[in-house]
């Protein structure tokens, strides 16, 4: 990789992580559906924040593309986004959650637009955002000291960000370096109308589902899953091949995330570092070999491993698959299926957040961990519960269907940067 590629990739990864961190830590309310001791929890806050950020990012990309602005303007947009992220942390003491939510959504949108407007930075933006969404809370837990009940009384939208300051500084330096290297180049023309329709339509559709969550019949997770699979499959067939491949790839990734039985649980700091490294390595290898079908099939193998505990009376296979094979497969799929139109990448950024908003937990007799020092409340303990076999089967069928559709759409192409997806 030359200096230009490193600068753009660094901007993508850092802006992706920071935007995903702000979105993932948004204050949330939960919709709960309980059946047979098992509860399906849906956190609406991060999903709605992702919707707002995506809409802001699409608007920014359209304006910059129509103006054919120089990349220096994009750098300024990114620095403005970082300033808003700092403002979110600075307003913690005031407890102004509405202001924090607005600043967080707009700031994340500015960072997303900055990260995806250059095709070379798109895959690293998605990797960074995935790391924040999937592992952000575990990264917090690995560096924080357990707090007592009184520490949680103040109104908070996101936790304090002391360990993010080095990332904020690194993001500023990466933006300045990219501005120095390619600052005089102009932004590419506005994406196609189809891509713009996806960039705005997918977030708006996701937002409508979230807002209607309380009115949906039956289990909301099932309803949302069916709508998402049908809608994204149709979009994957309707869009031009590079964009369609990415939509189908993200649908397969969402299938893995939605049935991941580990939820927020997982290995210690070293284990989280290994997972992050595997995702980055998967993206690098995927970018080299451009074989999204192979990555999607690997996603299907991860989801089908969820049936192993029932068949083998052991959870070791599923635990290894979801904790270590899953990040590798997700990274590989992302690396192999990008770049695509910037608006398409923005629109699909809400899908992993929506999939991760569902948490599967089961009530266990007992009390909370005394390590957290609850002085007056004996909280019920919850442990991670594997989902029903039907969920893993549905996720596997979805992933295999995506692989078949991507394979079906495969054809020789000429442009090695934008149109090499799926080869």
């Amino acid at each position: 990789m030359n200096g230009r590629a490193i600068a753009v990739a660094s901007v993508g990864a850092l802006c992706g992580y920071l935007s995903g961190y702000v979105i993932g830590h948004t204050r949330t309310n939960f919709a709960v559906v309980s059946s047979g001791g098992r509860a399906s929890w849906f956190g609406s806050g991060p999903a709605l924040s992702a919707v707002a950020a995506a809409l802001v990012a699409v608007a920014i990309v359209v304006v910059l593309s129509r103006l054919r602005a120089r990349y220096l303007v994009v750098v300024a947009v990114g620095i403005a986004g970082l300033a808003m992220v700092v403002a979110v942390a600075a307003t913690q003491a005031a407890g102004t959650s509405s202001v924090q939510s607005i600043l967080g959504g707009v700031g994340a949108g500015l960072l997303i637009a900055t990260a995806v407007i250059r095709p070379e930075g798109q895959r690293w933006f998605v990797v960074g955002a995935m790391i924040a969404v999937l592992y952000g809370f575990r990264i917090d837990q690995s560096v924080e000291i357990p707090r007592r009940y009184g520490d949680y009384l103040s109104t908070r939208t996101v936790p304090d960000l002391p360990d993010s300051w080095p990332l904020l500084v690194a993001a500023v330096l990466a933006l300045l370096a990219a501005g120095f290297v390619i600052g005089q180049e102009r932004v590419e023309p506005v994406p196609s109308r189809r891509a713009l329709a996806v960039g705005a339509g997918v977030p708006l559709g996701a937002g409508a589902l979230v807002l209607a969550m309380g009115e949906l019949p039956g289990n909301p997770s099932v309803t949302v899953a069916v709508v998402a699979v049908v809608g994204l499959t149709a979009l994957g067939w309707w869009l031009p091949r590079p964009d369609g491949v990415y939509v189908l790839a993200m649908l397969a990734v969402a299938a893995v995330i939605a049935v991941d039985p580990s939820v927020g649980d997982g290995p210690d700091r070293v284990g989280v570092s290994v997972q992050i490294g595997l995702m980055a390595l998967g993206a690098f290898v995927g970018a080299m070999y451009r074989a999204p079908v192979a990555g999607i099939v690997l996603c299907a193998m991860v989801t089908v491993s969820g049936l192993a505990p029932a068949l083998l009376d052991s959870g070791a296979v599923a635990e290894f698959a979801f904790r270590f094979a899953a990040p590798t497969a997700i990274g590989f799929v992302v690396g192999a299926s990008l770049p695509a139109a910037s608006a398409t990448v923005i629109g699909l950024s809400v899908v992993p957040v929506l999939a991760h908003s569902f948490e599967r937990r089961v009530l266990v007799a007992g009390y909370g961990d005394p390590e957290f020092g609850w002085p007056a409340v004996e909280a019920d303990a919850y442990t991670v519960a594997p989902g029903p076999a039907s969920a893993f089967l549905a996720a596997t069928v979805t992933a295999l269907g995506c692989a078949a559709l991507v394979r079906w759409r495969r054809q020789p192409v000429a442009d090695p940067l934008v149109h090499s997806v799926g080869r």
Side-chain angles (χ1 to χ4, degrees):
M1 297 178 67
N2 54 31
R4 168 195 177 113
I6 292 174
V8 174
S10 299
V11 169
L14 292 168
C15 289
Y17 180 84
L18 291 170
S19 62
Y21 187 94
V22 172
I23 290 170
H25 286 70
T26 303
R27 175 184 296 279
T28 187
N29 295 315
F30 288 98
V32 183
V33 175
S34 180
S35 176
R38 181 176 282 107
S40 174
W41 298 51
F42 178 81
S44 60
L48 291 176
S49 181
V51 168
L55 294 175
V56 170
V58 168
I60 294 296
V61 166
V62 169
V63 171
L64 293 179
S65 299
R66 290 193 181 280
L67 295 177
R68 295 300 308 277
R70 296 186 186 277
Y71 193 76
L72 283 175
V73 178
V74 179
V75 171
V77 169
I79 292 177
L82 293 174
M84 289 191 176
V85 170
V86 174
V88 171
T91 56
Q92 293 294 342
T96 53
S97 60
S98 60
V99 173
Q100 293 167 358
S101 297
I102 293 172
L103 289 175
V106 175
L110 296 177
L111 293 176
I112 292 172
T114 302
V116 305
I117 206 163
R118 298 283 304 191
E120 307 97 309
Q122 290 176 359
R123 64 173 55 90
W124 300 110
F125 156 74
V126 178
V127 169
M130 286 281 188
I131 290 172
V133 170
L134 297 181
Y135 308 124
F137 279 102
R138 296 235 312 281
I139 293 173
D140 290 342
Q141 293 169 1
S142 71
V143 297
E144 289 183 352
I145 299 175
R147 295 177 291 182
R148 297 180 65 84
Y149 175 72
D151 297 322
Y152 293 88
L153 291 177
S154 61
T155 302
R156 310 170 72 84
T157 300
V158 298
D160 296 326
L161 305 176
D163 297 291
S164 294
W165 292 112
L167 292 178
L168 292 170
V169 173
V172 171
L173 294 177
L175 284 167
L176 294 177
F180 178 79
V181 175
I182 58 173
Q184 298 303 314
E185 296 185 12
R186 295 191 179 274
V187 176
E188 293 298 320
V190 67
S192 67
R193 292 183 178 180
R194 290 188 179 186
L196 288 176
V198 172
V202 171
L204 288 173
L209 281 175
V210 172
L211 294 176
M213 188 63 60
E215 306 298 328
L216 295 176
N219 190 325
S221 62
V222 175
T223 305
V224 171
V226 171
V227 173
V229 169
V230 173
L232 293 179
T233 301
L235 287 177
W237 196 254
W238 177 64
L239 287 168
R241 195 186 71 88
D243 291 6
V245 167
Y246 179 65
V247 170
L248 294 169
M250 291 306 293
L251 177 56
V253 168
V256 175
I257 296 173
V259 298
D260 185 353
S262 66
V263 192
D265 190 25
D268 57 12
R269 182 184 303 184
V270 175
V272 173
S273 301
V274 171
Q275 290 176 313
I276 293 172
L278 288 173
M279 185 176 291
L281 178 62
F284 183 78
V285 176
M288 291 178 58
Y289 288 98
R290 308 284 189 174
V293 174
I296 295 173
V297 170
L298 183 56
C299 288
M301 294 174 64
V302 171
T303 57
V304 79
S305 72
L307 301 174
L311 300 176
L312 305 177
D313 196 25
S314 172
V317 174
E319 180 177 355
F320 175 83
F322 278 98
R323 289 187 176 177
F324 299 108
T328 307
I330 290 172
F332 188 94
V333 169
V334 170
S337 59
L338 287 172
S342 56
T344 301
V345 178
I346 293 171
L348 271 292
S349 66
V350 305
V351 174
V353 179
L354 190 64
H356 192 253
S357 295
F358 291 96
E359 298 186 0
R360 296 150 303 284
R361 298 176 184 265
V362 63
L363 182 62
V364 175
Y367 301 105
D369 188 343
E371 214 176 71
F372 286 95
W374 301 98
V377 179
E378 290 182 330
D380 292 324
Y382 289 82
T383 59
V384 176
S390 58
F392 293 111
L393 287 174
T396 302
V397 170
T398 299
L400 291 176
C402 292
L405 289 174
V406 171
R407 175 65 178 167
W408 183 268
R409 298 203 66 182
R410 182 182 178 186
Q411 62 184 17
V413 288
D415 190 332
L417 177 61
V418 180
H419 300 292
S420 59
V421 178
R423 294 169 60 181

